[in-house]
Amino acid sequence: MDPAAAPPPFLGLVAHPLRWSLLTALGRSDRRVRELTELVGEPQNLISYHLGQLRRAGLVEARRSSFDGRDSYYRLDLQACAEALAAVGSELHPSLRLAEPGTGGRRRAPVRVLFTCTGNSARSPMAAALLRHQAGDRVQVHSAGSRPRPLDPRTVKALRPYGLDLTGHRPQPLDRFAGRRLDHVISLCDKVREELPDFTKRPVLRHWSIANPADADDQEAFDRTAAELDVRVRQLVPALLAR
């Protein structure tokens, strides 16, 4: 067989049933190894082995938990997956390129989304503002904190390059949203993930393990957090609206 005709390594990597299960699970939420073990029903050493394969391929990243420093959260790098898929399509035939999905159809009720972190002073208001900006009136988005604090002025500065102004943001307590009907609740903090109240209608729970920029005590940390959230929110919008 001509080596040039061999399928791209990416296809062999993601075609493995367990690795595909891990990728799809991480596509919905950042997870710890023990959670992935429960989700796919395989032993931890096997899960760790295949996560290692995916990390070496650049499809999965790991970040130390801010709630329990002995633990780590794994997240799917959707941009790396998109680039790999696009490369596979182009290699098969130039016409097979991923296109932007069209919009249309009848108008639907806004998707109700809540972003939450500990203080509601940086991560969650950033994410809410970015989603509101990118999805417009197709979403009804809120943010809240388990221990609300005043908005950090570095949060305001970090969003200015995106054309967003959070000057009038008022911190909201997470308990205020207990019992509300929400479609998606997205925790941005490893600590607040353990403190979520009961919600009506059992919303889709997602977790993004994002470090608190205030811990670094410089503007650059807030700018990096805004950049990461901008990417994640852009990738989230199609999933929110695909219903």
Side-chain angles (χ1 to χ4, degrees), residues 20-231:
W20 181 253
S21 295
L22 294 173
L23 289 172
T24 54
L26 293 174
R28 292 187 288 270
S29 177
D30 297 3
R31 301 279 187 182
R32 292 168 288 196
V33 170
R34 65 174 177 272
E35 294 171 332
L36 292 169
T37 299
E38 294 171 0
L39 281 171
V40 303
E42 296 290 350
Q44 183 170 325
N45 62 339
L46 190 61
I47 298 296
S48 297
Y49 169 77
H50 286 288
L51 283 174
Q53 297 279 320
L54 295 170
R55 289 183 67 187
R56 283 190 286 276
L59 304 180
V60 167
E61 298 176 343
R63 177 174 290 165
R64 188 69 63 184
S65 169
S66 59
F67 177 72
D68 181 356
R70 298 168 298 177
D71 214 343
S72 294
Y73 275 95
Y74 290 84
R75 67 173 289 255
L76 182 65
D77 188 331
L78 279 173
Q79 185 61 36
C81 291
E83 292 171 0
L85 283 169
V88 167
S90 299
E91 192 167 334
L92 182 61
H93 193 278
S95 67
L96 298 178
R97 300 181 187 275
L98 297 180
E100 286 291 324
T103 57
R106 63 182 182 179
R107 189 175 182 83
R108 297 170 174 172
V111 181
R112 295 161 296 196
V113 182
L114 172 66
F115 288 102
T116 181
C117 61
T118 302
N120 194 217
S121 62
R123 290 165 289 184
S124 56
M126 279 187 194
L130 288 164
L131 178 58
R132 194 176 294 114
H133 177 66
Q134 294 174 20
D137 60 3
R138 294 176 293 175
V139 298
Q140 184 185 91
V141 58
H142 307 277
S143 69
S146 56
R147 298 172 185 81
R149 296 193 299 270
L151 184 69
D152 193 305
R154 293 167 294 185
T155 301
V156 176
K157 291 181 182 178
L159 284 187
R160 282 177 183 159
Y162 302 88
L164 301 174
D165 186 2
L166 280 179
T167 304
H169 172 74
R170 296 284 188 275
Q172 299 290 324
L174 179 57
D175 289 346
R176 180 172 295 178
F177 292 87
R180 284 208 195 180
R181 294 177 66 84
L182 297 162
D183 298 308
H184 296 263
V185 174
I186 304 170
S187 52
L188 308 176
C189 164
D190 300 338
K191 294 179 181 178
V192 83
R193 188 191 186 205
E194 311 298 329
E195 303 172 337
L196 292 178
D198 291 329
F199 298 102
T200 302
K201 196 196 162 188
R202 294 184 63 83
V204 175
L205 300 180
R206 301 173 184 268
H207 179 59
W208 297 351
S209 180
I210 298 178
N212 186 358
D215 292 342
D217 200 28
D218 59 29
Q219 183 63 47
E220 288 75 14
F222 284 77
D223 296 342
R224 289 193 300 270
T225 298
E228 178 177 352
L229 285 170
D230 181 56
V231 171

